Amino acid sequence: MKIRILVTGGTFDKQYDELSGRLFFRDTHVPQMLQRGRCRLALAVETVMMVDSLELDDAGRAAIVARCLASAETSIVVTHGTDTMVETARALAAAALRDRTIVLTGAMIPYAFGSSDGLFNLGSALSFAQVLPPGVYIAMNGQYFPWDRVRKNRDTGTFECTA
Amino acid sequence: MKIRILVTGGTFDKQYDELSGRLFFRDTHVPQMLQRGRCRLALAVETVMMVDSLELDDAGRAAIVARCLASAETSIVVTHGTDTMVETARALAAAALRDRTIVLTGAMIPYAFGSSDGLFNLGSALSFAQVLPPGVYIAMNGQYFPWDRVRKNRDTGTFECTA
Amino acid sequence: MKIRILVTGGTFDKQYDELSGRLFFRDTHVPQMLQRGRCRLALAVETVMMVDSLELDDAGRAAIVARCLASAETSIVVTHGTDTMVETARALAAAALRDRTIVLTGAMIPYAFGSSDGLFNLGSALSFAQVLPPGVYIAMNGQYFPWDRVRKNRDTGTFECTA
Amino acid sequence: MKIRILVTGGTFDKQYDELSGRLFFRDTHVPQMLQRGRCRLALAVETVMMVDSLELDDAGRAAIVARCLASAETSIVVTHGTDTMVETARALAAAALRDRTIVLTGAMIPYAFGSSDGLFNLGSALSFAQVLPPGVYIAMNGQYFPWDRVRKNRDTGTFECTA
């Protein structure tokens, strides 16, 4: 089974610009994360965009949906900012992606900062993508949530079941 | 669903003794790894032993089997050294653990060393433990393997399907 | 010889707030940096303020000068943001701090981010503070600069001799 | 002023071999440490040997002395295992290295392990090498010690003044 990873940015991939003191995006860290995880899955890694998910609009979501539709692989992991991950999951569920297992994941701390949850989440999302039935899911905090039964608790920074 | 994590040591939990310059075991790093992963699963973490899996004998394996049998939780993750992980998986499969999903995982680099694959593997193992049907599995390299179709390739340090 | 460390904030001590996605200050990391460095110097660590040095005004500089004047120790290290480190060095030189060796240092990357230059700079500043004659200096990039012969090159993020 | 760094191995440069589970030497980490420290000193980095200092014999010490004698730079930092650092300092002092400032340093934790004191020590040693008068010194724990007034306390892993 081959899995496609669609990179869209988010905290996961933020970096610190030491000249300006600001956070920014450059290249995704997903390949080096896969290397650290000694991952041996057959993977296609594709960067769709590199944005803070608070800046993601309908056109951006349509682009992510389009890449999922175009994917030859039926197992897909989408790396995404946590702030609007639920909205993108909803947009994906609204599209006709019948036979695809799509798992969105992200991080609360940038991978580049050393103390990130990103590696844990990526291992988790790739695993769920291999075994969950077709559908759209969020994998965060070691758990998976169907797209229509999850919200981000902004006070704790964790995802919760709404059902 | 509650998951039990049985800690048995392995590279995962090795530390560096700066006075002797040797690797050794003290406490498991699993709780701080779960914290880094912002894991919100209901978990029981139990240290069975802290050994290099090359030193694990039949009595040690029997102890791990006994702890799995005694577990009230039917989803179990066992952290284990990679060198004899397949042997312990076989011992677990030989026991009558019918309704349990048992996932063994480990690491090639100690978590304490910073560049470890352990966090990725733990996220992966906890995810597989939630969704795979009852049985005994190894989760390494982003993949899962049924206990009777896997071997460790000692030249590459990765796990491979034997079927 | 006892050395006083005056903490004023700067990139050195910035942290990432995972809920807001912003950088902020809480406690200084200097004690844990000293512990990592196995530092055995007799030290007094005092937090004067925790600010981005771009926000440091004349009143703030006066406070730093006052703490240097009040210091019983004649060897002083000041941790400081790099953007206005030269200005604070000038303010310190303008005060009558005759018998004191004052060394300002900072970092381009927050210590908390793992890939910081801060530990190198702190080791350097503490060493220069022990052996340089009285005066005001900046220790960055492995080098030391008298306060009146240094500028920060904002394009490279490094300090340069102006003489 | 140009400084020569002579690399001899020691804990500083040890790495973990994930296939054998053993510590070993490959290339020195000094260049990447200098890069992390944003070091802008004029430096010549030379690997003399890569050994555990417990395995260093008279011939090995003679080789280090010879490299110091051959150095065009009069400021020299020697990275060295801590176990016999004092012995090598003595051998250097016994040689006719009159106008040279030689500073030995090392680490208790390998740089590659993430939590190392090495970066602190390297920043410290390079700083002392710039300002101390000619002689042979050990720079550890934020302090410097003349070669004939220092011992390693093997119980604490720290260096102490013997005078």
Side-chain angles (χ1 to χ4, degrees):
Chain A
M1 182 200 300
K2 194 171 174 183
I3 302 175
R4 179 162 295 263
I5 300 181
L6 297 177
V7 174
T8 74
T11 296
F12 216 74
D13 268 332
K14 274 188 183 160
Q15 292 181 248
Y16 181 75
D17 177 0
E18 68 182 75
L19 294 184
S20 70
R22 298 216 191 85
L23 300 168
F24 75 114
F25 293 107
R26 199 158 44 195
D27 298 328
T28 178
H29 298 79
V30 165
Q32 66 197 80
M33 294 169 77
L34 294 168
Q35 195 173 16
R36 173 163 294 186
R38 276 94 180 127
C39 188
R40 303 269 295 174
L41 292 165
L43 294 170
V45 180
E46 173 186 351
T47 298
V48 182
M49 59 188 73
M50 286 296 265
V51 299
D52 188 313
S53 78
L54 288 173
E55 292 165 18
L56 198 57
D57 57 12
D58 288 348
R61 292 213 159 75
I64 299 171
V65 170
R67 296 317 306 156
C68 285
L69 278 167
S71 170
E73 297 77 21
T74 56
S75 291
I76 303 174
V77 166
V78 180
T79 68
H80 197 286
T82 59
D83 284 317
T84 69
M85 194 184 278
V86 175
E87 285 82 336
T88 299
R90 192 182 304 132
L92 286 163
L97 297 161
R98 250 156 307 191
D99 56 346
R100 286 168 168 74
T101 297
I102 304 179
V103 182
L104 294 95
T105 196
M108 294 304 290
I109 300 267
Y111 177 68
F113 289 5
S115 58
S116 176
D117 50 331
L119 196 63
F120 182 85
N121 296 341
L122 186 60
S124 178
L126 284 168
S127 301
F128 284 130
Q130 293 172 64
V131 285
L132 285 174
V136 178
Y137 308 88
I138 282 178
M140 286 293 290
N141 308 117
Q143 301 174 284
Y144 72 95
F145 306 91
W147 68 273
D148 55 350
R149 275 178 276 163
V150 61
R151 71 165 162 239
K152 182 181 172 185
N153 181 325
R154 286 175 210 289
D155 295 326
T156 60
T158 56
F159 285 75
E160 298 171 341
C161 193
T162 56
Chain B
M1 181 201 299
K2 195 170 172 183
I3 302 175
R4 180 163 293 264
I5 301 182
L6 297 178
V7 174
T8 74
T11 296
F12 217 72
D13 268 332
K14 274 190 184 159
Q15 290 182 250
Y16 181 75
D17 177 0
E18 68 183 75
L19 294 184
S20 70
R22 298 215 190 85
L23 300 168
F24 75 115
F25 292 106
R26 200 159 42 194
D27 299 327
T28 177
H29 297 79
V30 165
Q32 66 196 78
M33 294 169 77
L34 294 168
Q35 194 174 17
R36 174 161 293 185
R38 277 97 180 124
C39 188
R40 303 270 293 174
L41 293 166
L43 292 171
V45 180
E46 174 186 351
T47 299
V48 183
M49 59 188 75
M50 288 295 266
V51 299
D52 188 313
S53 80
L54 288 173
E55 292 164 19
L56 199 57
D57 57 13
D58 287 349
R61 292 213 160 76
I64 299 172
V65 170
R67 297 317 305 156
C68 285
L69 277 167
S71 170
E73 297 77 21
T74 54
S75 291
I76 302 173
V77 167
V78 181
T79 68
H80 197 286
T82 59
D83 284 316
T84 67
M85 194 183 278
V86 175
E87 284 82 337
T88 299
R90 193 183 304 130
L92 286 164
L97 296 162
R98 250 156 307 191
D99 57 347
R100 286 168 166 74
T101 298
I102 303 179
V103 182
L104 294 94
T105 196
M108 294 305 290
I109 300 265
Y111 178 67
F113 290 4
S115 59
S116 175
D117 51 331
L119 196 64
F120 182 86
N121 296 341
L122 186 61
S124 178
L126 284 168
S127 301
F128 284 130
Q130 292 172 65
V131 286
L132 286 174
V136 179
Y137 308 88
I138 283 177
M140 287 292 290
N141 309 118
Q143 301 175 285
Y144 72 96
F145 307 91
W147 67 272
D148 54 350
R149 274 178 278 160
V150 60
R151 73 165 161 239
K152 181 178 172 187
N153 180 326
R154 288 175 207 289
D155 296 327
T156 61
T158 57
F159 284 75
E160 298 171 341
C161 193
T162 56
Chain C
M1 182 201 299
K2 195 169 173 185
I3 302 176
R4 179 162 294 263
I5 301 182
L6 297 176
V7 173
T8 73
T11 296
F12 216 74
D13 268 331
K14 274 188 184 161
Q15 291 181 249
Y16 181 75
D17 178 1
E18 68 182 76
L19 295 183
S20 70
R22 295 215 191 86
L23 300 169
F24 76 114
F25 292 107
R26 201 158 40 195
D27 298 326
T28 178
H29 298 78
V30 165
Q32 66 196 80
M33 294 168 78
L34 294 169
Q35 195 173 17
R36 173 161 295 185
R38 277 95 179 125
C39 188
R40 303 269 295 174
L41 291 166
L43 293 170
V45 180
E46 174 186 351
T47 299
V48 183
M49 60 188 73
M50 287 295 268
V51 298
D52 188 311
S53 79
L54 288 172
E55 292 164 18
L56 198 58
D57 58 12
D58 287 349
R61 292 214 160 75
I64 299 171
V65 170
R67 296 318 306 155
C68 285
L69 276 167
S71 169
E73 297 77 22
T74 54
S75 290
I76 303 173
V77 166
V78 180
T79 68
H80 197 286
T82 58
D83 283 318
T84 69
M85 193 183 280
V86 174
E87 285 81 337
T88 299
R90 192 182 304 130
L92 285 163
L97 297 161
R98 252 158 304 190
D99 57 346
R100 286 167 166 75
T101 297
I102 304 179
V103 182
L104 295 94
T105 196
M108 294 305 290
I109 300 265
Y111 178 68
F113 289 6
S115 60
S116 175
D117 52 332
L119 196 64
F120 182 84
N121 295 342
L122 186 60
S124 178
L126 284 168
S127 302
F128 283 131
Q130 293 172 64
V131 285
L132 285 174
V136 178
Y137 308 87
I138 283 177
M140 286 292 290
N141 310 118
Q143 300 175 285
Y144 73 96
F145 306 91
W147 68 271
D148 56 350
R149 272 177 279 162
V150 60
R151 71 166 161 239
K152 181 179 173 185
N153 181 325
R154 287 174 208 291
D155 296 327
T156 61
T158 57
F159 285 75
E160 300 171 340
C161 192
T162 57
Chain D
M1 183 202 298
K2 194 170 175 185
I3 301 175
R4 179 162 297 261
I5 300 182
L6 298 177
V7 174
T8 74
T11 297
F12 217 75
D13 268 332
K14 274 188 183 160
Q15 291 181 249
Y16 182 74
D17 177 0
E18 68 183 76
L19 294 184
S20 70
R22 296 216 191 85
L23 300 169
F24 76 114
F25 293 107
R26 199 158 43 196
D27 298 328
T28 178
H29 298 78
V30 165
Q32 66 197 79
M33 294 169 77
L34 295 168
Q35 195 173 18
R36 173 161 293 184
R38 277 94 179 125
C39 188
R40 302 270 292 172
L41 292 166
L43 293 170
V45 180
E46 174 186 351
T47 299
V48 183
M49 59 188 75
M50 286 297 264
V51 298
D52 189 311
S53 78
L54 288 174
E55 293 165 19
L56 198 57
D57 57 10
D58 287 349
R61 291 213 161 77
I64 299 171
V65 170
R67 297 318 306 153
C68 285
L69 277 167
S71 169
E73 297 78 21
T74 55
S75 291
I76 303 173
V77 166
V78 180
T79 67
H80 197 286
T82 59
D83 284 317
T84 67
M85 194 183 278
V86 174
E87 285 82 336
T88 300
R90 192 182 305 132
L92 286 163
L97 297 161
R98 251 156 304 190
D99 58 346
R100 287 168 166 74
T101 297
I102 304 179
V103 182
L104 294 94
T105 196
M108 293 304 292
I109 300 266
Y111 178 70
F113 290 5
S115 59
S116 176
D117 51 331
L119 196 62
F120 182 85
N121 296 342
L122 185 61
S124 179
L126 285 168
S127 301
F128 283 130
Q130 292 172 65
V131 284
L132 285 174
V136 178
Y137 308 88
I138 282 177
M140 287 292 290
N141 308 118
Q143 299 175 286
Y144 72 96
F145 306 91
W147 68 273
D148 54 351
R149 275 177 278 162
V150 60
R151 70 165 162 239
K152 182 180 174 186
N153 180 325
R154 285 174 211 288
D155 296 326
T156 60
T158 57
F159 284 75
E160 298 171 341
C161 193
T162 56

